[in-house]
């Protein structure tokens, strides 16, 4: 019932993803959400985020930020990390996921998506056919509409964990 919302992977942090391994597996581009995926909501890019994008460039990745936020917020972060962006993206609509891939010259087979929300980030990536990695939110302080969605996310995540445990026991 909830499978359309399931990520391919669920990790503690963006900063724990083995991007080198994913590159060896053929991925060449990454679309990122910003708030609570790379930095706390509304925060500027910090040294950790800047270092991550340097590392990704060195590996060979192309990246684009995809945010439902307004341009001033998104631009502030992206200028600091030196990466392109799409603001007011309308996630979970897959249209701007596809636009990001087009800008990077990639497709759904060699593009990853990393975000912290199921009903916008992961669902949109799944609708676009992209490998979606869900990460735990960096900081608990969030806007009220996101706080409310987190309660529903807990239901989806509990089903996801139950199913992934069953699959691991079978193999």
């Amino acid at each position: 019932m909830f499978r359309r919302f399931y990520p391919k992977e669920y990790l503690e942090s963006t900063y724990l993803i083995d991007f080198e391994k994913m590159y060896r597996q053929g991925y060449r581009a990454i679309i990122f959400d910003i708030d609570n995926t790379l930095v706390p909501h509304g925060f500027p890019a910090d040294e950790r985020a800047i270092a991550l994008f340097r590392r990704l460039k060195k590996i060979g990745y192309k990246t684009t930020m995809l945010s439902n936020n307004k341009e001033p917020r998104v631009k502030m972060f992206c200028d600091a990390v030196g990466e392109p962006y799409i603001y007011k993206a309308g996630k979970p609509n897959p249209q701007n996921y596809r636009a990001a891939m087009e800008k990077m010259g990639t497709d759904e087979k060699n593009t990853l998506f990393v975000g912290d929300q199921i009903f916008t980030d992961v669902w949109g990536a799944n609708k676009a056919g992209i490998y979606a990695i869900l990460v735990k939110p960096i900081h608990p302080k969030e806007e009220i509409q996101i706080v409310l969605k987190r309660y529903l996310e807990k239901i989806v995540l509990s089903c996801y964990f139950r199913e992934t445990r069953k699959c691991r026991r079978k193999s």
Side-chain angles (χ1 to χ4, degrees):
M1 178 165 121
F2 292 125
R3 284 195 179 127
R4 75 183 84 176
F5 303 115
Y6 291 175
K8 295 290 188 254
E9 291 185 54
Y10 180 64
L11 299 169
E12 288 290 315
S13 168
T14 298
Y15 299 96
L16 296 176
I17 298 170
D18 188 344
F19 290 109
E20 290 81 1
K21 175 184 166 196
M22 301 305 279
Y23 194 86
R24 287 191 303 273
Q25 292 175 350
Y27 293 99
R28 296 298 179 259
I30 309 165
I31 302 169
F32 285 99
D33 174 54
I34 299 171
D35 287 320
N36 255 344
T37 298
L38 294 163
V39 292
H41 185 81
F43 277 51
D46 56 18
E47 282 305 314
R48 184 168 73 157
I50 292 166
L52 174 65
F53 285 95
R54 272 193 224 115
R55 177 178 149 217
L56 294 173
K57 260 191 184 109
K58 197 188 274 186
I59 294 169
Y61 281 107
K62 293 178 182 176
T63 61
T64 297
M65 303 317 126
L66 189 65
S67 176
N68 282 349
N69 225 315
K70 294 177 183 161
E71 187 172 25
R73 191 286 174 269
V74 179
K75 182 177 181 354
M76 170 185 63
F77 180 90
C78 293
D79 284 353
V81 298
E83 298 299 328
Y85 60 88
I86 297 172
Y87 66 97
K88 285 189 171 180
K91 296 181 288 183
N93 185 331
Q95 178 181 352
N96 280 317
Y97 292 79
R98 292 184 186 115
M101 287 186 286
E102 191 174 314
K103 282 183 176 187
M104 294 185 292
T106 61
D107 61 34
E108 64 279 347
K109 292 175 193 74
N110 61 1
T111 303
L112 300 168
F113 180 86
V114 181
D116 71 297
Q117 292 187 57
I118 289 175
F119 298 117
T120 52
D121 298 330
V122 172
W123 191 22
N126 287 346
K127 290 188 332 185
I130 301 169
Y131 190 99
I133 300 173
L134 177 67
V135 295
K136 278 191 176 176
I138 289 175
H139 195 273
K141 187 174 186 270
E142 298 181 297
E143 296 173 335
I144 188 66
Q145 71 271 18
I146 296 171
V147 171
L148 297 173
K149 283 192 276 183
R150 295 288 186 202
Y151 289 108
L152 298 172
E153 284 185 357
K154 286 179 183 177
I155 296 166
V156 174
L157 282 173
S158 99
C159 293
Y160 168 77
F161 291 134
R162 208 173 17 251
E163 280 193 38
T164 55
R165 272 195 300 273
K166 283 180 192 174
C167 290
R168 275 184 276 182
R169 275 187 259 158
K170 288 179 184 176
S171 52

